[in-house]
Structure formats: structure tokens, C-alpha cells
Amino acid sequence: MRQRFDRNTVIGLVVLAAMMVGVPVTTYFNARDLRNDAIDAAHSHEVIDAVAAVRSDARKLQAAQRAYIITGGEDRLPPYHEAISALRVSGSQLRTLTAGDPDQNQRTESAVREIESGIASLDAVTTLRREKGLGAILEFSRGRENRSFVDPLLETLAAMEGYERDRLAARNTETTEAYTRTVYYGIAGAVLGLVALGMFVWLLARSLRASAAAAALVREQREWFRTTLGSVGDAIIATDTAGNVTFLNPVAEKLTGWPTADAVGRSLHEVFRIVNESTRAPVDNPARRALAEGVVVGLANHTILIARDGTERPIDDSAAPIRDGAGGVTGAVLVFHDITDRKRAEESMRFLADASSQLVELVDYESTLRRIANLAVGRFADWCVVDLVDDAGNRRRLSSNPEALAVAGPRPVDPALGPDPNAPDGIPHVLRTGAPDVVPDLDALDPRAAPLGPDRIARLRGWGIKSYLAIPLASRGRTIGGVTFLSTSAARRYGPAELVVAQDLAARIAVAIENTILYRTLQEQDRRKDEFLATLAHELRNPLAPIRNGLQILRIGRPPGDPAERTLAMMDRQIGQMVHLVDDLMDVSRVSRGKVILRKERVGVRALAEAAVETSRQMIETGKHELVVCVPADPLFVDADRTRLVQVLANLLNNAAKYTPPGGRIELSAEPRGADAVVRVTDNGLGIPTEMLPKIFEMFTQVGSSLDRSQGGLGIGLTLVRRLVELHGGTVSAESPGPNRGSTFTVRIPLAVEAGTASTHPPGTAEPSAGAPKLNILVVDDNRDAADSLALLLEVKGHEVRMAHDGPEALRVLETFRPDLIVLDIGLPGMNGYEVARRVRGSTELRAVTLVALTGWGQEEDRRRTRDAGFDYHLVKPADVTEIEKVLKTLTKK
Ligand code: ADP
């Protein structure tokens, strides 16, 4: 732990340290000064002593010389010479002493010079005395200044001594100051030492107090930590750096099965055993990586913890390194928890989602329920049973997956869950009351007290069932069945959470079943409507044929303009109109049921336009409209079913004629536009309100009923137009500037990819039959009117005609009558037309006869069947007289 001093303490310490360093340093300098002063003083004393020695030797020399001069005794000379030597010695000593001081050195040099010159003058006088006697000396001294040679030397020596004494005085002052300083600094040093000691004691006390508080905090935190780890929901294991367990909280003890006392000190691998859920391979322990790499490590999914007693649990965990204050890893902590519940909840939700996605398909719900039951197995149940109750109360078991049960041999279908419809529990109870039944733990049930009864409990237990959940399926307030989920593993027990999931599923199943029923009902209604329309059209055709034939007969031989002929012509037109309506009705129901097959050929748009105009001519003329046809001379080819496209254009022309007041203008135009042939039918009639434009192509749509009723439409013409155009890969659209401003219908059909030649199809114009040879004809139709009228018509045209009204009768007639042509209805009582045809073709005498099928069914499939049965022609009722005449013509040509 890093201890930090506050700022003032630091400043104090720095000052103290500075002073503690300063005191000895100044003391050192003071002591040095004192020592230097002492050396200097000693030196000055030596110099003063040396000066005194020179002075004394000079005086001794002077005295020795005088003694000789006065006495003249030779015995006085040696002391004289000794004195000279002594003076020289002391002079040179003085010179040595003052060598370091330039001032004194200068004086010493002059003193030495004065000594030598003095000795020289003394020697001169001495010599004079020895040689000339005392008188010469006196003579020599007369007139000379009575000055001794010692005097200048003494002056120099006095100056030297004065100089040294001044220095001594100065040294003395300095020494006193240094001493005083040393005393003061010594006192300051002692005081500082005391202060430092005080501070040290204070800091020590403070640090002791702080560490005591820290220790208390650590104790408190450890306690807090222990309590927290003990009460968290996660399991926690701590290890040291070697990976040995140092701590387990109670949850970890429970999940691993290791009490702390046993686990501490053991290797983590021993206490915390983990394997992969599916491969069972040991999983790398995350604590190992946390220790080795010092990083936080999460555990891979699908890990199973194996407890000390072998119990396995899915867990989710992570490990993190424990670091000390310096950042070093001191161990690892492993945090994990049991995710059994979470996994089960996830599985339940996945099951719910998957099951719901199955329900989206509106197929039959029985197979859907079976699929859901299969989905449930493994994710939500070990066995799943669906029971359905029909309106009569009969129960049906849809699905069971009893493989999970612990019994061998054939599986019992149901006995445990409902032999007794009044049983107070299980599926009978659920079906009866509409309330769910949940048994979380079958083993915990008291067989005597539980409503299930001892026998059934024993049987369920015998199959290894541990828990079950039965929920009702309700639809429109009625319980229509139930789903039972059964578990054979102690790990899966049904409780409130599972009940919620199951009820959610039941609600979705109920909605899906209702939707399926609704959808089926709608489909059924639609199918019935189509069937009704088809049957209606077919039945309407039958009476139309004889009426038409009758009109033809009545018109024969009547002059044009005759009132009766005009009436008959009008009736014929009306019948034509009715036939047209019935045909449309029939076609639209066929197209709706996908029963129209196109017979495509390369055909020119011009030919189509002409045929359509031909078909609609009568209506256009009746309305006294002006028709403008504007089709390019350059051929435009399409690959199309000629009849169907003529029908489309004729329908549009008829509408234009119908919905345009008399005397209007109708225009039919065609042009190539990109890859399409565009055909337009424009009129200047009633027009179509904008809001109706998108709707008019829908079945049974009409604009404004009163007017349209008078026009006698059914509201299916445009539906048929659109469906036929779409069958050709084209589009049709309508535009109108508004009411009474006319309309334009635009049809686009893809142009034929390669230019080709259109098959030439002569327009079906009636050929006169006058002069044609007489033929033998058998007419077979159970509709007597139809047979009679056709027979009459053929007889009027000069042919020999016989009739029959069922298959056997036809065969009987053929025993005596040898026809050239048989016109045969298909739907005959007793024996159908196909059979009659096969018999005719099987007979040697009749093999060459021409067979014409006359039937209400005109699809390719119908035509193929008649062809296969041996028919030569296939005519659709009510057959146009012209069609029959065409057949007759080919026969008479033979
Ligand atoms: P309908 O048998 O009534 O003619 P259609 O399907 O042919 O049935 O037409 C649907 C409706 O579209 C008609 O009832 C009519 O109101 C409107 N319609 C069709 N063609 C025209 C047109 N050329 N001018 C005005 N209205 C039209």
C-alpha cells in the first residue's frame, strides 16, 4: 500500500532535512576556519620568534665585534665569526618561514641584504683593527655618522614583527567569530535533532493509527464480501495462482457437491468438472486461461457441470483473474450458474415458435397437429398425444409418440389416459371440462388420495412417466380436443411456466383450426359456385339448341321482309344473344377452374379483327353505330388461340355497341408497340366513372344497375376478357374520361417472336346447301326437343333422318338403318355416347359411318375423349346450323 504525506508534512520534512544538512556543513566550514586561523597564528608566532632570533643574533654579532675592536685580542675573533654564522642561519630560517607570504618575503630579502651588508662593513672595520690598530678605527669613525649596521635591520625586523602581529590580531577576531558561529550552529543542530525526533514519533504514531484503521476496514470488507458471496444466486469459486481452490460460496457447494472444507486446497479440475454437452469431451477450464493469460474468459455454450455425485447440469460461466494492488495475478475467480431452467424455457419458446410456424399453413389441421406432436417430442415432452372430438362426441387419437415410454412390446393406445370418459383427471377430464390438468410430479402423488386413482397412477408410473400436462383445444366455445404432453425424465416437470406455453399453443392451434375451417368453407363455396355456374350454363344450352333449330326450320322458304320472317329473325338474334351469354358463363367458370386450354397458332391480328367485327356486326348495326377499323396493312402476328382472341375482341366490340347510345362511333385499331400488338376498342358512349375503372374486370361487376339491366349483361364479359388475355400472356386495361365521354379498352398481346405465316382459316360463313345429295342421318339425343328439331331441320334440307333417345335404342335402329352420318349426344341414359361410338366402330357394316359428337362440353379434354372413342367431329351444343352444314358438305363431297 502506498502511503502519501500531505503537503505541509512534505514541506516540513524538506526544511528539516535542509537544516539538518546545513548545520553540519556550516559547522564544517567554521571548524576549518578555526583550524586555518590556528595554523596562521602559529605561523605568525614562528615568524615573530624568528624575527626575535635574527634581532638577538644581530645584537650578539655587534657585541662580539665591539669586544674585538676594543680588546684587539685574537681570542675575541672566533666568537665574532660564530656570531656571523648564527646570524646567517637565523636569517635564512626567517627567509624559509616567510617564503609563502610575498609581503613578508620582500621584507625578509631586504633584511638578508642588510645582514650581508652589515657583516661586510663589520668585517671591513675588523680587518682595519687587526691591520692598523685601534687608532685607525677611531680615525675611520671620525666624521662618520655614528650609526650601527644593526639599526636598518632592526627597523626591517620591527616592520616584519608589526606585520605579523597585525595578522595575529585579525586571526584572533576571525577565530572568535568562527567560534561563536560554531556554538550557535551546534545549538541549532541540537534543536533540529529534537524537532526531527518529534516529527518522527508523530509520523510513526499516525502511521500506526492508519494501519490499524486499514486492518479494521479489511476485516469489515472481508466480512461484507463473505456475506455477499454467500447470498448471491451465482456459484462462485476462487483459486490461488496454482489453480487450487481457496473459496466456495454455498451455491457453488450445492452445484459441485463439494463442501468448502473438502474442496479447499484441491485442484479446481477435481472440484469443477465440465464437459461438452454433446461430445462429452472435457472442456478447457476458463479459470486456467484466466490465470495463464490474465484475461476474463467466458465459457463456451453447451457446457455441462458434473457434480461430485455425478449429477449433470448445464451451466453458464466465466472466469476472471484476481489481481493485487501492483497488478500481479494472485488467483482466479470462477462465477457460474445453473441454466437448466433457462434452457428449458428456451426450448419451450423454440417449440412454441416452430409449432406456430407449422400452424401458418392452412392445410388440413390433422396433419398439422401430428407434426406439432412430433415437434414437441424432445423439446417439450417425451411423449405427446392429441385427441380430437368430433361433433358427434366421438374421440379420435391423432398422434402419439410412445417410443419414449419405458415399456417393451406393443404400446397401449390409451388406457391410462382415458378408458373412463368420466375420469376426474387426464384427457377425459380436460375434454369434459375444458380446463387444463397439470401433474408436476407423478411420484409425489398419493395413490390413495389423488383423483387419478391407484391403478392408473401405478400404470403411468410403470411406463416411467414422471409428469404430465393436458390442455384443451377450444374452438368457438366448444372443446374440440386436447393435447397431452408427458415427461419420462425427472429433469422435465410441468409447472405453471409450461402451462402458459401450452395454453398459448392451444390458443394458436384453435385459431389455426378455425382459419382452416373458414378457408375450407370458402374454398368449398367457391368450388360449388363454379360448379353451379358450369352446370347452369350446360343446362341452359340444352333448351337453346332445339329452339334455334326450330327457328331455322320456320325461316326456311320465307321471303325477306315478310313480318313473320322479321319476327323469326329477331327471335334468332335474341337466341344468339342468349347462347352468347351462356357461353360466356360457361367459359368464365372454366377459366376460373383452370380448365381452358389454349390451342395456339400463328395468327394475324388483322384476321382476328375481321372475325371479331364479323361476329359483332349484328349488334353494331342494330345500334346504328359507325364502325371505323384501323388495322395496319403490314401483318402483325401473334401466337394465340384464334377463337379465344376473336371472343375477346368481339366482347369488347359488343360492349362498345351496348354501352353507346344509338348512332355512336366505334373504332377498332391495332398497332405494334414494343414487343406487343396493341388493339384498342374506342367508343363515344356512356363512358365509365373513374372509381369504377379498377373494378369492371371483376366478376359480376356492372356500372349502375338500371341501365345495365336493360342491356341484359351478367357482368362477366370483361372478367372473361381479362382472363383470356392473361392466358395469352397479355394485359387489358380500360380508360374513360368520365360518364358520357366514351371509353377505350386496350388489349396487349405479345407479338410472335419470329415472323411466320398465319394459318388461313376461312371465316365460318354459311354455305348454301341447295343441290346437295341426300344423306341417311341418325340423330341420337335424350333431349327429345333437341333431337326432333335437328331431325326436322335436316329433313327440311332433304336428308333421310331417323331418331333415337338413348344408347340401346340407337343400336336397335342401326340394326336396320344404315346411315352415312350419326349425330350422337354423349350424355345418354342406358349407354353413353362413347360406348355407342365404340360399338359402331366395332361393327364391320358401320365402320365407315361419319360420327359427330354433339355435346355441351367443348374442352380439349372432351374433344380428345370423343376422338379416342372414334368420333370424326365434335360439335358443341347448341350447334350452329352452319357447323352441321359444314360437316354435311364434307360428306357429300366424298
Ligand atoms: P356486362 O355483361 O354487364 O356487359 P361486362 O363484364 O362486359 O358485363 O362489363 C362490365 C360492366 O362494365 C358493364 O356492366 C358496363 O357497366 C361496363 N362497361 C363495359 N364496357 C363498357 C363500355 N364500352 N362503355 C361503358 N361501360 C362499359
Side-chain angles (χ1 to χ4, degrees):
M1 194 171 55
R2 197 167 290 196
Q3 177 82 45
R4 287 196 169 273
F5 293 108
D6 60 45
R7 196 165 153 265
N8 291 343
T9 310
V10 171
I11 292 172
L13 282 173
V14 168
V15 171
L16 198 62
M19 290 172 84
M20 287 182 77
V21 172
V23 168
V25 168
T26 42
T27 306
Y28 163 76
F29 283 113
N30 285 339
R32 201 188 58 176
D33 287 354
L34 281 173
R35 181 172 159 271
N36 287 346
D37 287 348
I39 290 169
D40 278 1
H43 182 259
S44 291
H45 281 295
E46 271 181 309
V47 173
I48 288 168
D49 288 350
V51 167
V54 171
R55 192 186 286 133
S56 146
D57 285 345
R59 284 205 175 112
K60 278 181 191 158
L61 176 61
Q62 195 175 31
Q65 191 242 13
R66 273 184 190 153
Y68 174 72
I69 296 291
I70 292 165
T71 62
E74 282 297 311
D75 60 331
R76 301 290 177 163
L77 275 178
Y80 168 70
H81 287 297
E82 280 169 21
I84 287 174
S85 298
L87 181 61
R88 280 200 171 118
V89 168
S90 58
S92 93
Q93 270 175 351
L94 184 64
R95 178 188 258 162
T96 309
L97 273 175
T98 59
D101 184 340
D103 287 348
Q104 290 291 67
N105 191 257
Q106 217 178 336
R107 291 188 191 97
T108 309
E109 290 305 321
S110 66
V112 168
R113 273 195 310 275
E114 280 158 5
I115 287 168
E116 288 305 323
S117 72
I119 289 170
S121 67
L122 286 179
D123 272 350
V125 173
T126 305
T127 309
L128 196 59
R129 171 69 176 84
R130 195 170 20 171
E131 289 171 2
K132 305 272 177 68
L134 189 60
I137 295 295
L138 291 172
E139 192 63 26
F140 176 75
S141 307
R142 206 172 291 143
R144 282 181 195 256
E145 196 186 335
N146 190 18
R147 231 178 99 82
S148 158
F149 88 94
V150 187
D151 291 343
L153 178 64
L154 287 181
E155 278 167 24
T156 302
L157 289 176
M160 286 184 76
E161 188 178 335
Y163 174 80
E164 287 303 329
R165 292 219 180 269
D166 286 351
R167 284 192 61 170
L168 266 180
R171 287 286 172 279
N172 203 24
T173 312
E174 277 177 20
T175 303
T176 309
E177 283 173 1
Y179 170 76
T180 312
R181 272 204 310 275
T182 306
V183 169
Y184 285 147
Y185 279 104
I187 292 168
V191 170
L192 282 176
L194 282 174
V195 169
L197 185 68
M199 271 183 87
F200 172 72
V201 170
W202 176 74
L203 283 175
L204 188 68
R206 200 170 79 154
S207 148
L208 283 175
R209 268 199 313 279
S211 58
L217 189 67
V218 166
R219 266 199 310 281
E220 190 185 315
Q221 279 186 343
R222 183 165 294 167
E223 200 46 45
W224 179 87
F225 204 55
R226 196 170 285 279
T227 314
T228 309
L229 293 187
S231 57
V232 292
D234 284 338
I236 296 168
I237 299 180
T239 73
D240 57 17
T241 40
N244 293 325
V245 174
T246 55
F247 170 86
L248 279 92
N249 75 345
V251 184
E253 286 182 334
K254 199 182 117 212
L255 293 185
T256 59
W258 284 86
T260 302
D262 292 3
V264 167
R266 284 181 193 266
S267 161
L268 180 64
H269 298 277
E270 202 181 334
V271 176
F272 184 72
R273 274 171 62 211
I274 47 177
V275 294
N276 180 280
E277 185 180 56
S278 42
T279 64
R280 308 290 302 171
V283 173
D284 189 19
N285 202 309
R288 191 197 58 75
R289 267 189 66 202
L291 282 174
E293 297 168 26
V295 292
V296 177
V297 185
L299 189 70
N301 281 337
H302 312 297
T303 301
I304 297 278
L305 171 70
I306 305 176
R308 198 178 187 180
D309 64 358
T311 309
E312 299 190 355
R313 293 183 183 89
I315 58 161
D316 192 0
D317 80 348
S318 65
I322 305 172
R323 294 181 186 279
D324 58 16
V329 175
T330 62
V333 62
L334 194 67
V335 181
F336 58 101
H337 54 266
D338 183 356
I339 55 165
T340 310
D341 290 344
R342 194 182 83 197
K343 284 200 84 169
R344 182 141 321 129
E346 278 171 8
E347 266 181 2
S348 297
M349 291 324 289
R350 245 200 321 275
F351 162 60
L352 187 60
D354 290 350
S356 304
S357 70
Q358 297 283 332
L359 290 170
V360 174
E361 291 174 37
L362 282 175
V363 286
D364 74 306
Y365 60 85
E366 294 197 0
S367 65
T368 304
L369 285 177
R370 193 165 287 135
R371 262 186 283 164
I372 288 176
N374 287 333
L375 272 180
V377 173
R379 302 164 181 225
F380 194 70
D382 299 307
W383 188 26
C384 178
V385 178
V386 181
D387 290 274
L388 287 180
V389 186
D390 63 18
D391 291 341
N394 300 317
R395 271 180 55 202
R396 216 150 27 102
R397 175 143 293 184
L398 273 186
S399 170
S400 59
N401 302 281
E403 291 74 16
L405 297 193
V407 279
R411 311 286 156 170
V413 178
D414 190 23
L417 286 169
D420 170 12
N422 295 316
D425 53 83
I427 209 70
H429 168 81
V430 167
L431 295 180
R432 205 159 24 79
T433 62
D437 184 22
V438 191
V439 175
D441 188 356
L442 197 71
D443 291 342
L445 280 188
D446 178 356
R448 282 154 308 177
L452 206 57
D455 288 352
R456 296 173 70 201
I457 289 183
R459 217 167 321 162
L460 285 172
R461 282 184 188 165
W463 291 344
I465 289 168
K466 303 281 184 216
S467 174
Y468 77 79
L469 164 60
I471 43 150
L473 294 176
S475 173
R476 299 174 202 215
R478 192 173 76 83
T479 303
I480 56 163
V483 184
T484 312
F485 301 100
L486 301 103
S487 152
T488 55
S489 112
R492 190 196 311 278
R493 300 214 183 277
Y494 296 105
E498 286 73 21
L499 180 61
V500 170
V501 172
Q503 278 177 323
D504 192 346
L505 178 67
R508 294 178 197 208
I509 291 176
V511 170
I513 288 178
E514 272 172 29
N515 284 347
T516 312
I517 293 171
L518 260 175
Y519 178 70
R520 273 207 211 153
T521 313
L522 279 178
Q523 260 188 332
E524 179 59 21
Q525 282 175 353
D526 203 42
R527 194 186 58 77
R528 281 210 211 119
K529 183 206 72 199
D530 283 346
E531 250 174 40
F532 168 75
L533 287 180
T535 316
L536 176 72
H538 184 247
E539 290 306 317
L540 283 176
R541 269 184 160 164
N542 283 339
L544 290 179
I547 295 173
R548 218 174 191 191
N549 290 341
L551 285 173
Q552 292 286 334
I553 294 162
L554 290 177
R555 287 178 75 186
I556 288 171
R558 289 187 196 275
D562 173 65
E565 158 57 20
R566 290 221 313 270
T567 312
L568 289 171
M570 178 271 290
M571 287 169 75
D572 199 25
R573 277 198 305 279
Q574 292 302 323
I575 288 289
Q577 179 68 13
M578 268 178 87
V579 168
H580 182 76
L581 280 177
V582 168
D583 280 349
D584 276 1
L585 197 58
M586 195 137 175
D587 284 342
V588 89
S589 88
R590 280 219 195 91
V591 177
S592 304
R593 289 180 293 158
K595 290 201 163 180
V596 166
I597 294 159
L598 297 182
R599 276 182 297 164
K600 284 194 180 179
E601 56 187 319
R602 181 74 37 105
V603 39
V605 173
R606 194 185 180 95
L608 292 174
E610 281 167 0
V613 166
E614 196 52 45
T615 310
S616 304
R617 183 174 299 286
Q618 207 178 19
M619 281 199 72
I620 295 168
E621 281 172 2
T622 310
K624 299 191 170 58
H625 302 302
E626 175 197 358
L627 175 67
V628 182
V629 179
C630 188
V631 179
D634 281 347
L636 287 179
F637 288 110
V638 291
D639 286 326
D641 184 321
R642 167 194 294 273
T643 322
R644 294 309 187 180
L645 276 197
V646 170
Q647 195 179 355
V648 163
L649 297 183
N651 255 333
L652 295 178
L653 286 172
N654 285 351
N655 276 351
K658 257 191 340 187
Y659 299 107
T660 301
R665 184 174 191 275
I666 298 171
E667 193 182 314
L668 172 66
S669 69
E671 58 174 348
R673 188 55 74 80
D676 294 331
V678 176
V679 184
R680 282 200 183 81
V681 177
T682 308
D683 63 60
N684 60 352
L686 297 180
I688 302 164
T690 313
E691 71 276 10
M692 283 307 288
L693 281 173
K695 295 187 196 155
I696 51 168
F697 292 100
E698 282 165 24
M699 184 99 95
F700 309 128
T701 299
Q702 294 183 314
V703 182
S705 52
S706 58
L707 182 93
D708 300 332
R709 285 277 167 271
S710 69
Q711 301 295 331
L714 288 176
I716 54 173
L718 288 181
T719 312
L720 187 60
V721 163
R722 187 173 69 181
R723 295 201 179 160
L724 289 176
V725 169
E726 284 172 356
L727 276 182
H728 282 87
T731 58
V732 57
S733 60
E735 288 142 54
S736 171
N740 298 319
R741 295 175 66 190
S743 331
T744 298
F745 286 81
T746 308
V747 176
R748 288 167 190 272
I749 301 285
L751 282 166
V753 184
E754 293 159 28
T757 43
S759 57
T760 45
H761 230 273
T765 42
E767 303 257 332
S769 60
K774 182 170 122 17
L775 293 171
N776 285 349
I777 300 174
L778 172 63
V779 174
V780 189
D781 198 332
D782 60 331
N783 183 327
R784 281 170 192 272
D785 287 348
D788 288 350
S789 61
L790 181 59
L792 199 56
L793 186 65
L794 292 170
E795 276 170 6
V796 167
K797 293 194 182 264
H799 303 292
E800 168 83 27
V801 184
R802 295 284 175 85
M803 276 189 297
H805 302 301
D806 58 39
E809 192 190 346
L811 294 180
R812 269 200 307 282
V813 172
L814 287 173
E815 282 169 13
T816 52
F817 184 62
R818 288 280 170 272
D820 305 294
L821 174 74
I822 305 176
V823 180
L824 191 53
D825 183 23
I826 297 296
L828 289 172
M831 181 188 290
N832 67 27
Y834 299 124
E835 186 53 32
V836 174
R838 262 189 290 275
R839 299 265 179 113
V840 168
R841 289 289 180 234
S843 130
T844 36
E845 294 104 43
L846 292 169
R847 197 177 295 152
V849 73
T850 299
L851 276 177
V852 176
L854 187 59
T855 160
W857 311 109
Q859 284 310 291
E860 188 52 38
E861 172 64 16
D862 306 317
R863 290 175 195 274
R864 192 188 53 74
R865 282 190 71 187
T866 51
R867 217 168 28 241
D868 291 352
F871 285 93
D872 300 301
Y873 296 94
H874 181 115
L875 301 183
V876 182
K877 284 182 182 176
D880 205 317
V881 182
T882 55
E883 304 261 345
I884 292 173
E885 278 178 345
K886 261 192 267 172
V887 175
L888 295 176
K889 215 174 106 193
T890 56
L891 271 183
T892 50
K893 270 186 191 159
K894 279 185 189 167

